[in-house]
Amino acid sequence: MKKRWIGAGGLLLITALVFIYFKQPAVETGAQSNDRNIVLSDKTWNLEFSQPIKKLSKDAIYVKNQNGEKVPVNITISDDRKSVLIHPPEEGYSTETESFTLHISSAVKSSLGLPVRGDKTVEFAVVPTLPEVKSQKDLQQYFKYAIKREKENRPKFSIFDRGVSEDSADDSGSAAEGAMETEQASSSNEHSMTNNQVQGVDEADIVKTDGTYIYQIASQQLVITKAEPVSDMEVVSSIPYENTFSPQHLFLQDDKLVVIGNSWNDGYQDRPHAEKNFVEANLMPMHSVMKTHIYDISDKTKPELLREFGMEGNYVAARKVGSYVYLAASHHPDYWMLEEKDDVELRPRITDSLNSESPAFLEYKDIKYMPQSTETNFTLLSAINLDEVTSDILVESYLGSGHQIYMSKENLYMALSRYYPAGENPMASADTEVYKFSIDESSIEFSGMANVRGTILNQFSMDEHEGNFRIATTKGNTWGDDRNPSTNNLYILDENLKHIGKVEDLAKGERIYSVRFMGDKAYMVTFKQVDPLFVIDTSDPYSPEVLGELKIPGFSNYLHPLDENHLIGFGYDTKLVKDDKSSNTEPLVLTGGMKISLFDVSDFHNPKEKDTEIIGGRGTHSYLMEDHKALFQHREKSLFGFPVSVYQDKEGSMYEQIFDYQGSLVYEITPENGIIRKAQITNSEEDEIYEHWEHQVQRMLYIGENLYTLSPDQIHAYKLNDFTKMGELEIQ
């Protein structure tokens, strides 16, 4: 009996300890756990707690300088009481002071009264701007510390393991600014322009037109087609690329055409034992290069290559303002080679056909690092002036920077998801770091950094309006973690990226599926079982507020402004199905056909779904769901179109579908008449039972009174007034 009693007591003690461990709030400071953290002078500390904490007293969290004097910081706490922001002094931390210490006192306790576990102090020094990597030794030290950190943070299995969820959330101006534009170019024909997020900031795409010619990336080649008149439509030239280069996007500027893509094993694929030889020479082979080809297309039949420019790494994003093209690449060096060889060269390289055939390493002075970032990639930024193609191209490189890009005419923003150590659920604790760069022609200058709670979906989660930066995020898990349900947030930062306004904890248990900023308003779609559309007023950036909410079935992946009082949602219909065989108490959410919604937001407090259109059944899909540039619009005719592959649900089966057709759809969408289907353009035969990739419509555009659909191997032309077929052209 006695032994049994001790065993039971021990079990009770272990249970109690486990309970206390999970209920005792852990704190994550974002510090790098080295002797001293280097941070920017305007650093905002984001403290993440694993449990809600009690109301903070004045001296619960504070910062002292090296003399033991308290620094006047401002502390704000999130609505769920699990995140604390420590804002720097109004003028930032003094860079003349040698060091500071962040203190988390014993007065910080959970709602159950349990004390905080984890680091209670963080010593840090400040710098006024991004520090430079000054030498090879400094760069190697950065990566050696990264290796050490990664080893320490590898998951360790214990009785306290909680498991990891894989749920996650995935490039504006006013309402009219986000819409597809039309333009009078050198041709007399009015024509489509790319569906850009920001007016005046062009986005690279697989197709461009000047009103006479169509420039297209198709099946590993650049194709130039004379489209007008339709009766004489013909391919006037094409440039095939080797299989070591993948062309992805285009820019068009007068008689200059830019082709951007990724190249791999560049220049080394035919060299025997190349990789071994490079390692022995303390170099790494260039596995991938983002390449930019600039052509003179004065003679469309004979494009002339003017310059070929490359940045080591993979293509991230490209924008064009006026004659300047801005490029971003991400390079992940093989820094683990430092464990085998102590003198490996890790700097990224540049290739330029005007200067040398051999790759050139960036100078150390051109490499800066983001203090406290745990990322091990280089982000390379450059600007090319298409009016002066032979001018110098300056390249800036940043260690530890992001992948999602938003750009206005004056500023470029990069967003990076930051995941905390493996002891916590990484998705539940992930946050976003935002880096701001000022843009002035060929100059790209770092101008600020900030942290916000949660992660972003895509480029439409970010926006610049009247000097302020707005960003929408999802924090936590959407599925499978009732202890930490997801919430959705909107943050507003001023031109110096200081937090000035926020709306937090919207739609618990859901995540963001789409966001659109239109003037002073923000529209946010979240989803788990139904689709709430939130209308958020940001006219007072210091006090944004939710004005209205609409709950409907389905969700929108992309929101497009129609006018200041209406927007269009493109997404999917859904239905809830109860699975009697599942132990899950929640119904199963099944995606149905593609859905178009016309939202009336004229009454901001009572948004309405004015009209809907359901296309096909489960399995129906469109390039528009992943890429907003696939949307066709003719503003004067109120026409909208998109590529589509349609499937119908098999009668009597919940999960089986039958292929219907592939092609494109055109709708007239107006506030007065709603959504009216104008044309179903089919690129498949009636007896076909599956899709053909080469016949899938990728883009639609118009020139004058004609509509063109573009596939990898064909261009079809139709009349815009009645959509009768005018002609077709094989481009392969």
Side-chain angles (χ1 to χ4, degrees):
M1 279 300 281
K2 187 175 182 181
K3 289 183 179 180
R4 185 177 299 174
W5 171 251
I6 292 174
L11 182 61
L12 287 173
L13 177 60
I14 292 173
T15 303
L17 289 174
V18 171
F19 175 80
I20 292 173
Y21 180 86
F22 285 127
K23 292 300 181 181
Q24 185 182 7
V27 60
E28 171 58 56
T29 64
Q32 286 193 344
S33 302
N34 51 0
D35 293 337
R36 178 177 296 178
N37 293 275
I38 304 297
V39 303
L40 294 173
S41 57
D42 57 354
K43 163 74 173 178
T44 295
W45 288 99
N46 186 9
L47 308 184
E48 287 287 328
F49 295 89
S50 61
Q51 298 290 332
I53 60 175
K54 285 185 175 181
K55 185 177 180 180
L56 295 175
S57 62
K58 183 178 180 181
D59 297 324
I61 299 174
Y62 54 92
V63 174
K64 284 187 175 182
N65 62 23
Q66 64 194 40
N67 299 321
E69 302 165 334
K70 282 192 175 181
V71 178
V73 296
N74 180 36
I75 297 177
T76 59
I77 187 168
S78 64
D79 293 342
D80 64 3
R81 312 199 67 77
K82 294 174 69 174
S83 178
V84 173
L85 292 179
I86 305 171
H87 305 280
E90 189 66 29
E91 301 301 323
Y93 293 102
S94 171
T95 55
E96 297 179 0
T97 303
E98 187 173 323
S99 67
F100 298 86
T101 305
L102 167 65
H103 295 265
I104 304 170
S105 77
S106 58
V108 179
K109 296 181 179 179
S110 73
S111 56
L112 296 177
L114 297 173
V116 171
R117 56 185 163 92
D119 293 334
K120 304 289 180 58
T121 61
V122 178
E123 186 178 355
F124 63 98
V126 299
V127 290
T129 188
L130 293 183
E132 295 177 356
V133 173
K134 295 185 168 112
S135 66
Q136 183 183 40
K137 181 179 178 181
D138 284 352
L139 188 61
Q140 290 177 349
Q141 199 62 39
Y142 181 97
F143 286 112
K144 285 179 180 178
Y145 178 71
I147 292 173
K148 177 176 177 288
R149 184 180 61 241
E150 289 180 24
K151 287 181 177 179
E152 291 174 349
N153 290 334
R154 284 173 181 167
K156 297 178 178 63
F157 297 99
S158 73
I159 62 170
F160 298 113
D161 281 351
R162 304 186 189 185
V164 176
S165 168
E166 296 182 356
D167 179 69
S168 65
D170 155 345
D171 222 11
S172 139
S174 67
E177 288 175 354
M180 179 179 287
E181 305 162 21
T182 60
E183 182 176 289
Q184 289 294 117
S186 57
S187 167
S188 60
N189 286 324
E190 189 181 80
H191 57 84
S192 292
M193 299 294 288
T194 302
N195 180 28
N196 299 313
Q197 182 182 7
V198 180
Q199 186 179 33
V201 180
D202 192 17
E203 299 182 34
D205 197 13
I206 60 175
V207 62
K208 299 285 182 179
T209 181
D210 59 13
T212 300
Y213 293 88
I214 294 174
Y215 309 88
Q216 180 184 5
I217 296 293
S219 300
Q220 197 62 19
Q221 61 180 333
L222 166 66
V223 180
I224 301 178
T225 302
K226 184 180 179 183
E228 288 286 322
V230 173
S231 57
D232 296 327
M233 188 164 55
E234 63 173 337
V235 174
V236 296
S237 63
S238 63
I239 300 176
Y241 295 101
E242 296 180 357
N243 58 12
T244 55
F245 175 69
S246 174
Q248 295 186 30
H249 284 149
L250 303 170
F251 278 122
L252 179 64
Q253 171 75 17
D254 299 328
D255 286 331
K256 304 291 193 314
L257 185 68
V258 179
V259 178
I260 304 168
N262 284 321
S263 176
W264 52 90
N265 291 329
D266 184 68
Y268 305 111
Q269 64 272 15
D270 297 324
R271 301 186 186 184
H273 312 296
E275 188 146 337
K276 179 181 177 182
N277 294 338
F278 270 87
V279 173
E280 290 178 352
N282 299 330
L283 302 175
M284 290 290 102
M286 294 176 69
H287 295 298
S288 61
V289 179
M290 174 187 174
K291 282 202 169 180
T292 302
H293 300 255
I294 305 173
Y295 295 94
D296 182 337
I297 54 170
S298 301
D299 182 351
K300 307 295 188 291
T301 65
K302 295 180 180 178
E304 178 187 357
L305 181 63
L306 300 176
R307 191 171 189 175
E308 183 181 300
F309 175 73
M311 298 189 293
E312 187 171 11
N314 294 308
Y315 175 29
V316 173
R319 300 288 190 273
K320 186 172 80 72
V321 177
S323 64
Y324 286 87
V325 170
Y326 300 93
L327 305 170
S330 178
H331 171 53
H332 293 265
D334 296 322
Y335 58 91
W336 282 89
M337 288 300 299
L338 288 170
E339 293 212 308
E340 300 179 18
K341 197 170 183 64
D342 196 43
D343 200 28
V344 177
E345 178 61 78
L346 295 171
R347 285 178 293 167
R349 284 158 282 191
I350 303 300
T351 64
D352 192 339
S353 62
L354 290 190
N355 298 331
S356 171
E357 292 299 324
S358 300
F361 286 101
L362 284 179
E363 298 290 336
Y364 286 107
K365 65 180 178 61
D366 294 326
I367 303 175
K368 299 179 176 64
Y369 65 91
M370 306 293 185
Q372 289 220 290
S373 175
T374 57
E375 290 298 297
T376 53
N377 70 301
F378 292 93
T379 291
L380 286 73
L381 300 177
S382 64
I384 301 176
N385 184 1
L386 296 181
D387 286 344
E388 299 178 11
V389 173
T390 59
S391 60
D392 290 341
I393 299 176
L394 301 179
V395 178
E396 294 281 347
S397 181
Y398 302 90
L399 261 172
S401 39
H403 304 287
Q404 290 283 2
I405 298 291
Y406 167 84
M407 186 171 165
S408 67
K409 286 185 177 181
E410 293 81 24
N411 298 294
L412 182 149
Y413 299 84
M414 288 194 304
L416 163 70
S417 295
R418 178 167 183 171
Y419 301 93
Y420 295 118
E424 298 291 336
N425 185 318
M427 281 310 305
S429 60
D431 289 326
T432 297
E433 293 176 346
V434 178
Y435 306 105
K436 179 180 180 180
F437 302 84
S438 60
I439 303 295
D440 184 10
E441 295 186 340
S442 61
S443 173
I444 305 174
E445 296 287 340
F446 174 81
S447 59
M449 172 186 173
N451 295 282
V452 295
R453 298 181 70 218
T455 56
I456 68 170
L457 176 67
N458 54 30
Q459 68 185 64
F460 288 95
S461 299
M462 300 180 282
D463 174 79
E464 186 183 84
H465 180 62
E466 296 181 350
N468 295 324
F469 178 68
R470 305 181 289 192
I471 182 168
T473 68
T474 297
K475 178 75 172 177
N477 292 315
T478 308
W479 304 100
D481 189 353
D482 294 334
R483 294 173 301 172
N484 189 33
S486 59
T487 61
N488 303 282
N489 318 292
L490 175 69
Y491 298 100
I492 304 178
L493 292 73
D494 66 14
E495 61 181 3
N496 298 314
L497 292 189
K498 295 186 183 300
H499 286 252
I500 58 175
K502 64 180 180 179
V503 174
E504 291 185 311
D505 297 334
L506 296 176
K508 287 190 175 183
E510 302 179 4
R511 73 168 175 88
I512 291 174
Y513 273 68
S514 57
V515 182
R516 195 74 194 221
F517 294 94
M518 294 166 55
D520 288 333
K521 303 298 183 292
Y523 300 93
M524 179 191 299
V525 168
T526 63
F527 180 77
K528 186 173 184 181
Q529 292 183 357
V530 293
D531 171 359
L533 170 69
F534 292 97
V535 181
I536 305 173
D537 182 15
T538 67
S539 57
D540 180 358
Y542 294 89
S543 185
E545 62 174 330
V546 176
L547 298 182
E549 177 183 352
L550 170 67
K551 290 190 176 183
I552 53 175
F555 56 86
S556 298
N557 286 101
Y558 172 63
L559 294 173
H560 188 84
L562 181 60
D563 59 29
E564 62 181 9
N565 293 320
H566 299 84
L567 67 160
I568 310 167
F570 297 93
Y572 290 102
D573 188 29
T574 59
K575 58 182 177 180
L576 303 181
V577 178
K578 178 61 178 176
D579 187 352
D580 296 330
K581 298 180 181 179
S582 173
S583 59
N584 192 351
T585 57
E586 293 188 355
L588 182 66
V589 181
L590 290 183
T591 303
M594 186 174 168
K595 180 181 180 182
I596 307 175
S597 299
L598 175 60
F599 297 108
D600 183 342
V601 292
S602 53
D603 181 353
F604 297 126
H605 297 278
N606 296 289
K608 298 177 181 178
E609 188 178 45
K610 187 171 183 177
D611 198 4
T612 63
E613 169 87 353
I614 306 297
I615 303 163
R618 184 176 173 83
T620 298
H621 61 92
S622 170
Y623 285 114
L624 178 57
M625 296 297 97
E626 294 83 35
D627 190 346
H628 62 282
K629 296 187 289 290
L631 180 67
F632 162 82
Q633 181 182 2
H634 193 301
R635 296 174 67 183
E636 287 71 25
K637 296 180 183 294
S638 301
L639 295 178
F640 295 84
F642 46 85
V644 69
S645 293
V646 177
Y647 288 77
Q648 301 295 344
D649 295 329
K650 185 176 181 180
E651 187 174 350
S653 174
M654 183 183 300
Y655 300 106
E656 293 182 272
Q657 294 80 39
I658 300 172
F659 174 67
D660 192 353
Y661 67 91
Q662 65 183 36
S664 53
L665 291 169
V666 182
Y667 290 87
E668 179 185 85
I669 305 179
T670 62
E672 299 78 18
N673 300 320
I675 304 169
I676 301 174
R677 182 181 290 199
K678 302 295 288 186
Q680 174 183 311
I681 300 171
T682 303
N683 277 31
S684 55
E685 302 296 332
E686 289 186 8
D687 58 348
E688 287 184 346
I689 59 174
Y690 52 84
E691 299 178 55
H692 291 274
W693 174 84
E694 64 273 17
H695 298 327
Q696 284 184 344
V697 175
Q698 296 177 315
R699 293 292 187 268
M700 305 167 65
L701 59 86
Y702 75 89
I703 299 175
E705 292 300 313
N706 295 322
L707 170 70
Y708 298 82
T709 63
L710 282 68
S711 303
D713 64 352
Q714 295 176 328
I715 297 178
H716 292 195
Y718 305 86
K719 287 184 179 179
L720 263 177
N721 59 349
D722 60 7
F723 303 99
T724 56
K725 192 169 184 178
M726 300 282 290
E728 66 179 79
L729 177 68
E730 298 287 335
I731 60 174
Q732 296 298 319

